[in-house]
């Protein structure tokens, strides 16, 4: 039986991180990238790879967990918690969705609640308290691919062969499903602009100006 | 006997990559970051970690190799070559310097020549031909740390403990050793501005405006 991996991102603060994350995710055979809460992102850094990934959106962590449990996925938090296992020990059992924390603060208590277990990446030097979130995610996804025995992609010279670009599922770097969602999203954005909801974890202005996300695809 | 790891960067094109690279390098216990050729870099993304890393500069790959061989280091190219070993198989024997390629084109023939062996990171999906260079480097350095049995850094809650910030060795994000070097560097920069030497691999303007590097430390 084949295993699958998903990535779950909750209210990511620095949207440009999603691009590089998408690039690593597709490299390591991730099937879906699930955005919870805010759904706008910037695909800069993805080098077009975000077109090769399925995206899904949930409004709440609870909804995301329900979906994953119906699919019999484990939910693995990537966080340095007391009982977290070193990721290189491959503490995996079945298809797994990896929950990544906000870049600044890591996983919140609420986020930790929906996790079945945690992995962390051992560090050896004293120069930094934590890794860049995309770097951490990439190391974890790499290890899951090794554990799951994913088939290696064929190569051409010193590059892996890129699949044909599928029809772009993600419209305007904005993870939407229906027209209703778009209307709802616009309403939410107006409300968010008023109360700064998405900025609760980080005091930047990335959520206030979304136009740049529409045109960038590094 | 303890092992050590170094990172060797040759004419890196996107200077902002060095910052995140430095952060990962110190997290994974790298002892030195060696810049070959161009020596200016931008520590944005390092979160101050570049202050915890020794920097060294050589003008040529040949000089770098000579230094490393005198120290009895293996030189490992991070590249998807015909005979490259999957990094998760830990094909290491002793202290190792990891040579990273230019972001766009990977390792050149000249760079490959100084390597003793190569590692690559298996990919499983069809969405990208290669990984972001910092992501690739981080995965390799992580595996070396696991193989070498580096002692794990102590933690405080969900963060690794950061050492006290040492006296900043790197003046103005510019890897210099002596006043002579500075004079020489200025001369080189004038020449480079005239002949575009450092832009041979990538047609951007990152080498022409160095002022931004002096003030940014993310």
């Amino acid at each position: 039986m084949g295993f699958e991996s998903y990535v779950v991102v909750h209210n990511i603060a620095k949207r440009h991180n999603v691009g590089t994350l998408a690039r690593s995710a597709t490299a390591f055979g991730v099937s879906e990238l699930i955005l919870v809460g805010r759904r706008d992102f910037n695909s800069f850094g993805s080098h077009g790879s975000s077109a090769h990934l399925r995206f899904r959106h949930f409004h709440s962590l609870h909804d995301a967990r329900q979906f994953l449990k119906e699919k019999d996925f484990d939910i693995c938090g990537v966080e340095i918690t007391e009982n977290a296992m070193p990721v290189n020990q491959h503490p995996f059992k079945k298809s797994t969705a990896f929950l990544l924390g906000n870049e600044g603060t890591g996983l919140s208590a609420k986020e930790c609640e929906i996790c079945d277990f945690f992995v962390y990446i051992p560090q050896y030097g004293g120069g930094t308290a934590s890794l860049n979130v995309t770097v951490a995610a990439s190391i974890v996804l790499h290890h899951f691919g090794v554990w799951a025995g994913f088939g290696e992609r064929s190569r051409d010279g010193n590059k892996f062969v890129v699949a044909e670009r599928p029809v772009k599922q993600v419209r305007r770097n904005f993870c939407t499903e229906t027209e209703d969602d778009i209307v709802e999203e616009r309403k939410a954005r107006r409300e968010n602009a008023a109360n700064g909801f998405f900025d609760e974890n980080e005091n930047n202005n990335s959520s206030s100006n979304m136009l740049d996300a529409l045109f960038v695809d590094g």
Side-chain angles (χ1 to χ4, degrees), chain A residues 57-207:
Chain A
H57 175 260
F58 293 102
H59 289 285
S60 72
L61 289 166
H62 176 266
D63 292 351
R65 177 174 173 85
Q66 194 167 355
F67 167 79
L68 291 166
K69 286 295 140 186
E70 277 164 16
K71 289 198 149 248
D72 195 29
F73 270 56
D74 266 342
I75 304 177
C76 173
V78 179
E79 182 60 279
I80 308 158
T81 62
E82 196 70 48
N83 54 356
M85 301 281 292
V87 69
N88 49 294
Q89 290 183 12
H90 296 182
F92 309 117
K93 292 190 193 112
K94 54 184 174 184
S95 292
T96 303
F98 293 96
L99 180 59
L100 306 176
N102 180 280
E103 297 88 339
T105 51
L107 290 181
S108 68
K110 217 173 151 184
E111 287 160 347
C112 285
E113 264 174 32
I114 73 157
C115 295
D116 298 303
F117 68 105
F118 298 88
V119 294
Y120 78 101
I121 299 150
Q123 289 184 207
Y124 313 112
T128 183
S130 61
L131 295 164
N132 167 285
V133 66
T134 306
V135 167
S138 302
I139 291 173
V140 169
L141 297 172
H142 155 75
H143 275 297
F144 186 84
V146 170
W147 173 82
F150 286 163
E152 207 172 302
R153 188 82 191 157
S154 57
R155 302 188 236 158
D156 181 13
N158 67 348
K159 298 282 179 191
F160 285 95
V161 175
V162 177
E164 272 188 53
R165 195 181 171 96
V167 176
K168 194 153 178 156
Q169 169 219 24
V170 180
R171 209 152 63 89
R172 293 177 170 175
N173 296 339
F174 205 75
C175 180
T176 55
E177 288 112 43
T178 65
E179 287 298 316
D180 279 357
D181 278 335
I182 297 172
V183 172
E184 189 196 312
E185 193 69 41
R186 286 195 183 131
K187 188 163 156 265
R189 277 156 62 185
R190 279 195 302 273
E191 284 167 10
N192 293 331
N195 66 20
F197 176 70
F198 286 152
D199 282 335
E200 62 184 334
N201 290 317
E202 179 149 326
N203 191 18
N204 66 22
N205 62 359
S206 64
S207 68

Side-chain angles (χ1 to χ4, degrees), chain A residues 10-32:
Chain A
H10 182 222
N11 283 345
I12 197 158
K14 297 179 185 167
R15 291 173 305 137
H16 63 264
N17 280 338
V18 179
T20 316
L21 182 59
R23 185 174 172 192
S24 286
T26 176
F28 295 129
V30 168
S31 310
E32 283 195 8

